[in-house]
Amino acid sequence: MENSNVFTLAGVSYVIQNTPILTGITLDIRSGEHWALMGPSGAGKSTLLRLFNSLISPTSGAIRFHGQPLESTDVGRLRKRVGMLFQEAVLVNGSVRDNLTLPRQWVRPVPEYAEEQLTEALERVGLTPGHLTTQARSLSGGEKQRVALARVLLNEPEVLLLDEPTASLDPPLARKILRLIADLQRELNLTVIRVSHHPDLVRSFAGQVLFLDKGRIVEQGPIVLLDQPRTQDFSRFLREAQA
Amino acid sequence: MTQSFYSLSWTDVFASMVLVLFSIGLLRWWKIGLEKTLIIGTLRTFVQLSAMGYILTYFFGQRHWLFMVGLVSLMILVASYEGYRRQKTALHIPHYFIIITGVLTLTVILVLGSVLTFILHVQPWYYPYAMIPIAGMIIGNALNTTSLTVNRFVGELEHREAEIDMLLSLGAPPRAAIHDAIRESVKAALLPTVNSMMMVGLVQLPGVMTGQILSGIDPLIAVRYQIMIMYMWVTASTMTNILVLALVYRQFFTPRQQLRCDLLRRS
Ligand SMILES: Nc1ncnc2c1ncn2[C@@H]1O[C@H](COP(=O)(O)OP(=O)(O)OP(=O)(O)O)[C@@H](O)[C@H]1O
Ligand SMILES: [Mg+2]
């Protein structure tokens, strides 16, 4: 069963300019799980997320990816296998097609995408092939986020890191995108690690929850923790988030 | 040809100061408050250029290649230090001083070397009349544009942090992730030079050429030199800018291809 762990974190700490941001994070993430990272602003959620695809490295402690130390993986390949969506979708200037085919330019020789791969990727996130020629900057916030999702999925990741990609969207649209991600997760057997502030959105889609405060894990476990928090901090956080 | 058209004596130079007095009068009249600075500037122009004249006369009397190489090296070191000091952010860029010194040296060897040997056919190659002014021109211009580029580049990195993180997270190599930042900074730094190539001769003559023509040199000769200088100039700037950024951008990434945020923002 050891092998079904996608990520294993053992005593991971991250310190920046002598300030501890994350302290003693120990955590197992298994294949196909959907984790919700919760916690007050500044708790270190984004920082934790960035550790998973080596956008930053831990100051101490060890992260393993499929049992292999993260530091010894090829970082380019790792980042393709562990895709990330940010709070604000960042698209480059140019058309939607330019954005979707962006990661191709970094591979030599430049691989050819079959046209249907692009249209399929767009349809998967609820856009139409007609969007391929649209200028990225003329898209709405929700459409941008979908294009970013389609772009990440074209890398065929096995893990998806989501840093509140729906925070800037209105609730119905946010729910729609999260449903999409939940469907994709089942379809592609993705492991999802997602930062979220909304207990409702966590309850609907996540299977596991982790509550972070001041850089430390306060609670972690199955989603039922949302209804039976073991600590005062978490229950207060949930009460305030609900209100 | 060496006979000056209009011989300009030191007395004549003093007379030209009267022109500045006139400006000072105007500034006073409108209470602009720049008179003192202008007076200092006027005196410094006089002192620095006269001193330079004497120093050049001394250097032009030297005839040993080692002396010339030493002099050009000193010019490079002084320029690199000046560039290093002038950088608002440079103190945080690791190896920055070594980078500019190295790149300036390489540029001088390549550009000055080819101008002296293949273009001007100077014999011997270290003939001071050619070497010193050309080296000064290359180093000075390269230094100015490099300061612009590097400042701009750091600004671009700060501004594009989210974009760079996004590109890295998709698996982009650092070089691809900062490509737009490099393009924008090089463009911004080279544009004035390239624009001056567009405009040169249309309205205004470059200062050097005006001086040459006044001192009696055939305009057709002066023009040829100016054309060569412009080409040399743009090449030296392009080379230094691109090479410096090619080395500088690497300092902003860890071996794990992570953007070093600790080098940004602190400026
Ligand atoms: N590069 C950095 N330099 C300095 N401090 C940083 C840096 N990155 C993060 N921090 C600090 O680390 C702490 C955690 O940041 P992080 O972005 O992980 O929080 P978060 O839980 O995602 O918060 P939010 O919910 O507001 O997004 C914050 O106090 C932040 O100021
Ligand atoms: Mg965050």
Side-chain angles (χ1 to χ4, degrees):
Chain A
M1 282 321 286
E2 194 55 17
N3 286 343
S4 68
N5 275 359
V6 179
F7 280 109
T8 312
L9 279 71
V12 167
S13 299
Y14 182 69
V15 178
I16 193 163
Q17 285 154 27
N18 295 324
T19 315
I21 311 287
L22 291 172
T23 312
I25 305 288
T26 295
L27 176 66
D28 285 338
I29 291 180
R30 293 197 172 75
S31 178
E33 288 181 338
H34 185 146
W35 281 81
L37 306 187
M38 305 187 82
S41 182
K45 305 180 295 294
S46 302
T47 309
L48 179 56
L49 218 53
R50 292 159 65 84
L51 282 168
F52 287 114
N53 68 351
S54 256
L55 276 181
I56 54 174
S57 291
T59 315
S60 61
I63 304 181
R64 286 171 178 274
F65 180 56
H66 289 295
Q68 192 190 0
L70 203 62
E71 295 299 305
S72 68
T73 57
D74 175 280
V75 72
R77 204 162 318 145
L78 170 81
R79 285 176 185 159
K80 286 188 175 164
R81 291 173 74 183
V82 184
M84 180 154 181
L85 278 192
F86 297 86
Q87 185 159 346
E88 298 280 340
V90 187
L91 300 185
V92 296
N93 285 336
S95 64
V96 168
R97 178 195 296 277
D98 294 336
N99 271 279
L100 292 183
T101 55
L102 195 60
R104 255 198 317 194
Q105 302 164 7
W106 311 320
V107 187
R108 292 288 174 272
V110 176
E112 281 301 312
Y113 276 147
E115 194 63 17
E116 56 262 30
Q117 267 179 290
L118 297 184
T119 54
E120 201 184 281
L122 279 184
E123 278 163 358
R124 220 192 253 146
V125 298
L127 296 173
T128 63
H131 281 104
L132 274 178
T133 49
T134 312
Q135 284 303 302
R137 88 172 75 82
S138 68
L139 296 171
S140 73
E143 288 167 333
K144 279 186 184 148
Q145 203 53 272
R146 284 160 193 249
V147 172
L149 177 59
R151 184 174 58 192
V152 165
L153 291 176
L154 276 169
N155 270 345
E156 299 178 345
E158 51 172 296
V159 182
L160 212 47
L161 309 172
L162 307 169
D163 196 353
E164 299 195 281
T166 55
S168 57
L169 308 180
D170 58 77
L173 186 57
R175 195 164 270 281
K176 217 163 131 188
I177 290 199
L178 288 173
R179 173 143 310 125
L180 187 76
I181 288 170
D183 290 345
L184 289 169
Q185 187 195 357
R186 235 168 293 124
E187 186 189 329
L188 307 171
N189 191 31
L190 290 170
T191 306
V192 175
I193 308 172
R194 173 163 70 90
V195 172
S196 181
H197 272 127
H198 301 287
D200 286 345
L201 294 179
V202 169
R203 208 172 268 118
S204 320
F205 301 107
Q208 287 74 26
V209 62
L210 181 152
F211 179 65
L212 211 58
D213 194 12
K214 299 189 188 76
R216 292 172 189 275
I217 295 182
V218 179
E219 294 202 36
Q220 60 165 312
I223 200 73
V224 292
L225 278 180
L226 278 189
D227 302 313
Q228 298 141 20
R230 287 187 289 238
T231 59
Q232 289 233 321
D233 284 344
F234 194 23
S235 60
R236 191 179 323 114
F237 174 82
L238 289 169
R239 248 195 334 273
E240 280 165 12
Q242 204 70 266
Chain B
M1 201 187 84
T2 44
Q3 169 82 46
S4 294
F5 261 22
Y6 311 103
S7 57
L8 195 62
S9 67
W10 284 115
T11 331
D12 299 330
V13 173
F14 279 118
S16 67
M17 273 192 184
V18 175
L19 290 175
V20 185
L21 280 182
F22 182 66
S23 329
I24 291 171
L26 281 177
L27 290 175
R28 282 206 89 120
W29 180 32
W30 278 88
K31 300 194 168 57
I32 308 287
L34 204 65
E35 305 94 298
K36 229 172 110 185
T37 321
L38 180 58
I39 292 173
I40 294 173
T42 308
L43 294 178
R44 283 188 62 161
T45 302
F46 185 84
V47 173
Q48 283 164 207
L49 284 180
S50 316
M52 181 54 83
Y54 284 109
I55 292 171
L56 283 178
T57 312
Y58 169 72
F59 287 155
F60 288 177
Q62 301 300 315
R63 286 292 182 271
H64 199 286
W65 69 270
L66 248 179
F67 181 85
M68 287 303 144
V69 171
L71 185 64
V72 172
S73 310
L74 187 67
M75 284 161 82
I76 291 174
L77 278 180
V78 171
S80 305
Y81 181 71
E82 180 63 22
Y84 177 71
R85 222 176 40 90
R86 217 191 276 176
Q87 220 67 58
K88 276 171 281 170
T89 45
L91 297 172
H92 309 312
I93 304 177
H95 314 304
Y96 187 63
F97 184 69
I98 294 173
I99 291 175
I100 21 182
T101 315
V103 170
L104 276 182
T105 307
L106 191 67
T107 311
V108 166
I109 290 174
L110 286 176
V111 179
L112 181 65
S114 35
V115 168
L116 292 182
T117 52
F118 306 126
I119 300 172
L120 291 178
H121 311 288
V122 179
Q123 293 280 352
W125 58 268
Y126 51 86
Y127 185 58
Y129 276 84
M131 193 159 177
I132 295 175
I134 296 177
M137 197 172 277
I138 292 173
I139 295 169
N141 189 249
L143 177 73
N144 279 333
T145 57
T146 304
S147 300
L148 284 178
T149 330
V150 173
N151 276 338
R152 175 69 183 257
F153 179 66
V154 175
E156 289 282 332
L157 289 187
E158 279 163 1
H159 174 71
R160 291 170 183 267
E161 206 182 321
E163 180 190 311
I164 294 170
D165 268 346
M166 177 277 282
L167 291 167
L168 290 175
S169 79
L170 283 170
R175 190 189 161 140
I178 46 80
H179 181 258
D180 282 358
I182 288 200
R183 195 186 50 209
E184 290 309 311
S185 2
V186 172
K187 260 194 193 165
L190 288 186
L191 219 54
T193 311
V194 176
N195 277 339
S196 73
M197 294 177 85
M198 303 290 176
M199 297 307 295
V200 69
L202 289 186
V203 181
Q204 194 190 10
L205 292 181
V208 186
M209 232 181 90
T210 314
Q212 274 185 313
I213 293 176
L214 277 178
S215 60
I217 287 178
D218 181 352
L220 278 178
I221 295 177
V223 156
R224 272 184 252 154
Y225 278 96
Q226 189 59 41
I227 294 174
M228 187 207 68
I229 286 172
M230 302 288 288
Y231 294 166
M232 189 178 78
W233 214 13
V234 74
T235 311
S237 317
T238 312
M239 234 183 103
T240 351
N241 277 308
I242 296 212
L243 291 182
V244 164
L245 284 192
L247 295 171
V248 159
Y249 93 79
R250 285 160 218 268
Q251 313 303 321
F252 283 89
F253 287 91
T254 67
R256 282 291 282 173
Q257 310 192 355
Q258 298 153 339
L259 184 63
R260 287 191 57 184
C261 300
D262 57 318
L263 293 181
L264 305 174
R265 280 190 220 105
R266 232 201 290 169
S267 41

